[in-house]
Amino acid sequence: MTTATDDIELFAVQPRVSLEDYASAATFATRHRELAARVDALRARDASGQPRHPALAVWPEAIGAALLFQGHVPAVRAKTSFEGAVKRVAIAEALDVWRAWSTHHPPTLRECVYAARAALVHRTLWETFSSIARDFNLWVVAGSALLPASRRSPDTPDFEPHGARTYNTSYTFSPDGRCVAATRKVNLVPTQEDVLHLSPGRPEDLTVLQTPFGRLGTLIGYDARARPHTREEPWFVPCAQYLDALGMDILAHPSSASAFDRDDTGKPHHEPGHGADHQAQLGALKRVRYVVSSQAVGKVLGTSLAAPSSLLERTPSGAVRVLAQASSPQDEDVLHATVPHP
């Protein structure tokens, strides 16, 4: 439990990831509980040792994507692409992949693998972050993973795919360990996520949660951007403005940036934008007070991840203030700020 307070604590978790983190459910859980312990060590406490303020911790986008490879890390370690690793798992799990195809008839091999592995991916992600939220008394936005819709409620470790359309999905957990929201990414990054055969979420399904520290919304990666990267995306939805209009006070922003991303001019960019660009977007909003933007760093299957996490505040005057920013886009970090209730 937490003591009565007018302040909240915000944490952006910036893990350094490697393929070995995904060898099993146990290794994944151990890795992220270590990070949660770092969060816990930074929290303010009262005389009895209880956390003084409610706290929100955000993990980065796609932190659960490589959970597809549980049990197959030695076999996929030499692969240099996500596609190659998925094909290797498809061979190893041929019977389950065939069952997924015969049940859901997805048009691509990737979607067969996503559906075949969905129950395992969901359970590992759910059990890891549900226990972190409960054991460390945190509100947790658990990054994201690639998952179909489920016939069951998200507030259970059990999972039954409802078709094979697969979404970049984020779960939010309350301090009692309940999964209180599932968010699907609406805007897929051209040439990156569309080639993964993902489906876009619907903007009308985005919601804000009432929490003890205000109204919380989650936008995954590109969805926090005000404008598309390229001129070839007429379907782009400015999701941050949409949730701002719904009264969002705090934006949880799990994100993931490849060091080699390029926009349509050939210049490097980080998805969905950070630094001055990210601050300008926040300044244009009307209601949002804080943004917790978490990035992963490291390298998995040939993809390098490099962008700094940040904590931002939009002041009453509309100016944007950096509360904290990772000192390096290559090193593991946990950002922390204690701020007034919005």
Side-chain angles (χ1 to χ4, degrees), residues 282-295:
L282 175 58
L285 301 179
K286 304 298 183 184
R287 173 68 185 263
V288 175
R289 178 76 180 274
Y290 303 112
V291 176
V292 182
S293 184
S294 296
Q295 302 272 356

Side-chain angles (χ1 to χ4, degrees), residues 148-306:
S150 177
R151 295 183 183 276
R152 300 175 182 267
S153 162
D155 190 27
T156 172
D158 299 324
F159 191 94
E160 182 182 353
H162 182 59
R165 289 174 64 90
T166 302
Y167 306 89
N168 190 343
T169 304
S170 180
Y171 294 147
T172 300
F173 294 89
S174 61
D176 59 3
R178 294 185 56 236
C179 182
V180 292
T183 301
R184 294 174 183 153
K185 191 172 186 177
V186 173
N187 297 296
L188 303 181
V189 181
T191 75
Q192 294 182 48
E193 289 177 299
D194 50 358
V195 299
L196 296 179
H197 299 287
L198 299 179
S199 295
R202 302 189 307 171
E204 58 267 32
D205 290 338
L206 296 172
T207 60
V208 293
L209 291 172
Q210 186 63 55
T211 74
F213 46 81
R215 294 171 65 82
L216 172 66
T218 297
L219 293 175
I220 304 169
Y222 199 23
D223 280 353
R225 193 174 172 87
R227 293 172 296 279
H229 282 314
T230 73
R231 293 180 289 272
E232 308 301 323
E233 301 170 71
W235 56 85
F236 182 86
V237 179
C239 297
Q241 286 90 328
Y242 175 65
L243 290 189
D244 189 54
L246 293 180
M248 176 173 60
D249 298 307
I250 300 175
L251 169 58
H253 178 222
S255 190
S256 178
S258 167
F260 305 106
D261 289 350
R262 296 289 187 273
D263 63 17
D264 59 352
T265 69
K267 296 179 180 179
H269 68 69
H270 296 291
E271 187 253 311
H274 59 89
D277 181 51
H278 202 166
Q279 294 174 43
Q281 294 173 53
L282 175 58
L285 301 179
K286 304 298 183 184
R287 173 68 185 263
V288 175
R289 178 76 180 274
Y290 303 112
V291 176
V292 182
S293 184
S294 296
Q295 302 272 356
V297 299
K299 188 173 184 178
V300 176
L301 296 172
T303 298
S304 295
L305 304 169

Side-chain angles (χ1 to χ4, degrees), residues 63 76 91 104 117 126 159 167 302 310 314 323:
I63 198 65
V76 304
I91 294 169
H104 304 294
R117 304 287 282 172
W126 196 98
F159 191 94
Y167 306 89
S310 60
R314 187 178 61 81
L323 300 170

Side-chain angles (χ1 to χ4, degrees), residues 2 7-11 39 43 51 53-57 136-140 173 175 213 336:
T2 56
D7 291 338
I8 60 174
E9 292 184 276
L10 304 176
F11 294 91
V39 169
R43 296 188 70 179
H53 314 299
L56 168 68
F136 294 96
N137 194 21
L138 290 167
W139 287 82
V140 171
F173 294 89
F213 46 81
H336 172 225

